[in-house]
Amino acid sequence: MKITCIGAGYVGGPTMAVIAEKCPEIEVTIVDINPQRIAAWNDENPDNLPVYEPGLADIVKARRNKNLFFSTDIKRAIIEGDIIFISVNTPTKTYGVGKGMAADLKYVELCARQIADNAEGDKIVVEKSTLPVRTAQSIKTILNNNPRGLNFQVLSNPEFLAEGTAIKDLHHPDRVLIGGDQSPEGLRAIEALTDVYAHWVPRERILQTNVWSSELSKLTANAFLAQRISSVNSISALCERTGANIKEISKAIGADSRIGPKFLEASVGFGGSCFQKDILNLVYLCRHFNLPEVANYWEQVIKMNDYQKHRFAKQIIDSLFNTVSGKKIAILGWAFKKDTNDTRESPAIYVAHELLQDRAEIHIYDPKVTREQIFKDLNYLAAMNHATYGGDFDSPPVEEMEGISVHVHNEPYRAMQNAHAIAILTEWDEFKTYDWQKVYNNMFKPAFIFDGRNILDKSALRKIGFDYSGVGN
Ligand code: UDX
Ligand code: UDX
């Protein structure tokens, strides 16, 4: 059997690497329209892989050019693959109908058309990208209009891996979900994909459903997870007013077995490519089906998250005597969570943007994110704001804006030297190991730390002399 995956990103790359690792007799080919990305996947130096995930480089090294191939030859991979995964990105639409809400399906549609135009035999097509409910139907319509009268089965197989723990999650999934047509051909396709996962996942953890349930389960799972974070973050604001401690509250409520301990950490806000996008999708879908109450309910999860990011930035400005203009603020962490180089929707981008609006001088250090990526993120946000709030001209690049001062460091102590304040925006483990006395000695006083992840030792830092604030504690 041969498997093809279109899209060599954070989902396609690790997922296919693990399939190749666990199914040595299956030949897995990942294709992408971006030749630089494919070249990076084929790079001999594991540090140059486009996706950083603990454990990934070892698997790629072990299976590459044995039964795992990275290629730009999309046509050939489509002809040869028996099962074709679509794992391309589905960003929120930035234009037209559903702007800012609906998923932009142009890449998924393009893939379906490429498959329809190039396939020479029947195929199983698997949606791996998170998609709005009923997208499988659109894919099916495009595929069934193929010129050769071929038969395609479309399955939904949503990804539940979290970045930073992708390999662990793929090795030991809580469940694998496969949705398909309930016709005899559909059920056969579901079985074929089940057999692939059954190489390493116990069969009772492979759930088979109809397509719509599978698609909607993914949006719902992410909405529930994000909702927990917004709920705990809403209470963190109340803690800061009352003197209650959110860490103690999370522990106390998480001990209730009906609630459970995970996803209760208060933070500067959730980020990542999925939560916001999937909830916006859910909201859009509910509005489309004329369920405004349901839409408003879930939209509130996003609004609470925006409030949390804004609240954090405002707290920095308020504490530094109502202005950060010309003050050096060190930002530790740019990724949306630890152990990944992914920055999509990272709260750091929003916090930095607000500080820059108040003319702060920001100095950023992240162990895995590049300078280019940081500027790309700031420019993207500036352009989005510009598009939303108007202006006849394109916004200039952040680095050329008047009065804007952004510095990226590859060494943390330099970023913090002579700073007025430090903001922790990602929970990287290495931040806990710094010589905080040395950092304190080299800062302006009062020396502020705003711990957006509650990872540092509050009492030890206060003993050194820092003015420490966590989130809700
Ligand atoms: C994933 C999921 O697939 C998506 O549904 C989810 O919502 C976000 O996470 P991810 O793998 O993280 O996407 O996206 P990304 O890292 O951007 O990778 C997508 C890849 O697809 C890119 O390398 C892009 O070049 C490629 N692509 C895109 C194609 O090969 N063909 C296209 O037509 C479009
Ligand atoms: C998420 C889902 O967990 C995964 O199942 C789905 O496939 C994709 O979306 P991911 O976005 O990679 O995964 O990371 P996740 O661990 O869920 O974290 C998302 C954000 O929530 C991060 O910014 C993280 O820092 C934040 N978070 C998480 C909190 O603020 N508090 C928590 O308690 C947990």
Side-chain angles (χ1 to χ4, degrees):
M1 169 180 316
K2 290 190 179 179
I3 289 181
T4 290
C5 173
I6 309 179
Y10 283 90
V11 169
T15 309
M16 293 304 126
V18 168
I19 291 182
E21 177 197 25
K22 298 291 184 184
C23 312
E25 83 286 7
I26 298 179
E27 191 178 306
V28 181
T29 302
I30 312 183
V31 290
D32 201 291
I33 42 168
N34 180 342
Q36 285 92 11
R37 223 174 203 195
I38 290 300
W41 280 110
N42 281 320
D43 200 302
E44 281 306 318
N45 181 351
D47 289 341
N48 293 340
L49 293 187
V51 171
Y52 171 72
E53 274 294 340
L56 173 63
D58 290 341
I59 301 176
V60 170
K61 200 169 152 221
R63 302 314 316 167
R64 193 171 48 198
N65 298 329
K66 295 197 174 74
N67 67 331
L68 178 64
F69 301 90
F70 297 92
S71 158
T72 50
D73 192 346
I74 299 177
K75 187 173 170 188
R76 187 168 144 212
I78 288 172
I79 294 172
E80 293 188 349
D82 302 299
I83 300 181
I84 301 177
F85 285 81
I86 300 184
S87 194
V88 297
N89 41 335
T90 50
T92 304
K93 271 184 94 172
T94 52
Y95 56 88
V97 177
K99 174 180 165 183
M101 299 286 275
D104 191 338
L105 297 179
K106 66 175 176 222
Y107 302 128
V108 173
E109 187 183 327
L110 183 74
C111 286
R113 288 188 191 283
Q114 281 175 321
I115 297 170
D117 290 345
N118 293 300
E120 292 173 355
D122 297 351
K123 309 272 171 201
I124 297 174
V125 175
V126 184
E127 339 171 305
K128 196 76 194 165
S129 302
T130 309
L131 296 167
V133 181
R134 305 195 80 92
T135 302
Q137 191 57 50
S138 324
I139 298 182
K140 218 185 288 178
T141 309
I142 294 171
L143 290 174
N144 286 341
N145 280 303
N146 71 80
R148 298 180 193 86
L150 300 172
N151 264 317
F152 292 97
Q153 279 304 317
V154 180
L155 302 179
S156 158
N157 172 220
E159 189 46 72
F160 295 106
L161 66 83
E163 289 175 27
T165 53
I167 301 301
K168 191 172 133 265
D169 296 343
L170 285 162
H171 280 166
H172 307 285
D174 288 343
R175 78 315 208 174
V176 168
L177 188 53
I178 302 176
D181 264 1
Q182 300 300 300
S183 62
E185 302 78 24
L187 293 172
R188 264 203 303 280
I190 293 177
E191 276 311 316
L193 186 58
T194 300
D195 287 342
V196 173
Y197 284 106
H199 279 72
W200 76 99
V201 181
R203 282 201 181 250
E204 64 275 14
R205 290 206 183 172
I206 305 178
L207 310 181
Q208 303 179 338
T209 66
N210 74 36
V211 184
W212 321 130
S213 303
S214 168
E215 290 180 325
L216 190 53
S217 296
K218 168 73 189 225
L219 296 189
T220 309
N222 276 346
F224 269 57
L225 290 170
Q227 173 271 126
R228 283 172 73 98
I229 304 169
S230 276
S231 296
V232 84
N233 281 344
S234 74
I235 302 298
S236 76
L238 187 57
C239 286
E240 287 163 27
R241 294 283 160 89
T242 56
N245 183 328
I246 197 68
K247 285 186 168 181
E248 293 176 349
I249 295 179
S250 293
K251 193 169 173 199
I253 63 168
D256 184 324
S257 61
R258 293 166 302 175
I259 297 175
K262 294 184 185 158
F263 265 72
L264 286 178
E265 277 165 41
S267 67
V268 51
F270 60 73
S273 68
C274 285
F275 282 178
Q276 171 153 317
K277 179 165 62 83
D278 288 354
I279 296 175
L280 288 174
N281 248 312
L282 188 62
V283 169
Y284 184 73
L285 196 71
C286 294
R287 297 235 158 92
H288 174 78
F289 287 107
N290 196 22
L291 298 168
E293 288 80 2
V294 185
N296 295 344
Y297 177 77
W298 286 108
E299 193 170 35
Q300 199 57 35
V301 173
I302 303 275
K303 288 188 178 162
M304 184 53 63
N305 197 47
D306 289 339
Y307 169 70
Q308 190 76 349
K309 294 182 279 191
H310 168 67
R311 210 167 68 76
F312 187 82
K314 186 167 179 304
Q315 190 197 10
I316 297 178
I317 298 170
D318 289 352
S319 306
L320 271 78
F321 317 105
N322 283 326
T323 179
V324 287
S325 172
K327 292 179 185 164
K328 174 170 175 177
I329 316 267
I331 291 187
L332 295 188
W334 193 260
F336 80 97
K337 62 188 279 197
K338 74 172 181 179
D339 291 339
T340 176
N341 60 347
D342 191 352
T343 63
R344 286 176 287 182
E345 298 297 337
S346 179
I349 307 169
Y350 294 85
V351 171
H353 185 79
E354 279 204 42
L355 296 176
L356 288 172
Q357 299 294 304
D358 205 63
R359 303 261 158 137
E361 194 186 296
I362 61 170
H363 290 251
I364 303 161
Y365 167 75
D366 185 289
K368 286 284 174 206
V369 180
T370 61
R371 181 190 152 77
E372 292 68 41
Q373 186 60 47
I374 291 172
F375 278 103
K376 212 164 134 189
D377 293 336
L378 286 169
N379 281 321
Y380 180 75
L381 183 61
M384 284 290 273
N385 282 346
H386 193 76
T388 311
Y389 301 116
D392 291 337
F393 303 99
D394 288 344
S395 77
V398 164
E399 48 278 48
E400 287 168 22
M401 283 183 194
E402 214 186 306
I404 291 287
S405 177
V406 181
H407 308 262
V408 179
H409 296 260
N410 46 25
E411 201 279 322
Y413 291 95
R414 297 261 317 256
M416 294 187 279
Q417 185 153 15
N418 294 328
H420 291 79
I422 296 166
I424 312 266
L425 294 181
T426 311
E427 71 283 21
W428 286 103
D429 290 332
E430 69 168 65
F431 299 162
K432 297 185 223 169
T433 66
Y434 292 168
D435 180 346
W436 287 104
Q437 182 67 56
K438 179 173 143 189
V439 172
Y440 178 79
N441 296 345
N442 292 325
M443 280 178 72
F444 275 97
K445 308 295 173 333
F448 291 94
I449 291 197
F450 300 93
D451 184 356
R453 298 292 183 163
N454 289 342
I455 54 164
L456 299 181
D457 182 341
K458 171 164 91 173
S459 49
L461 290 173
R462 286 197 175 148
K463 217 158 133 203
I464 291 174
F466 280 107
D467 187 317
Y468 173 96
S469 321
V471 176
N473 102 86

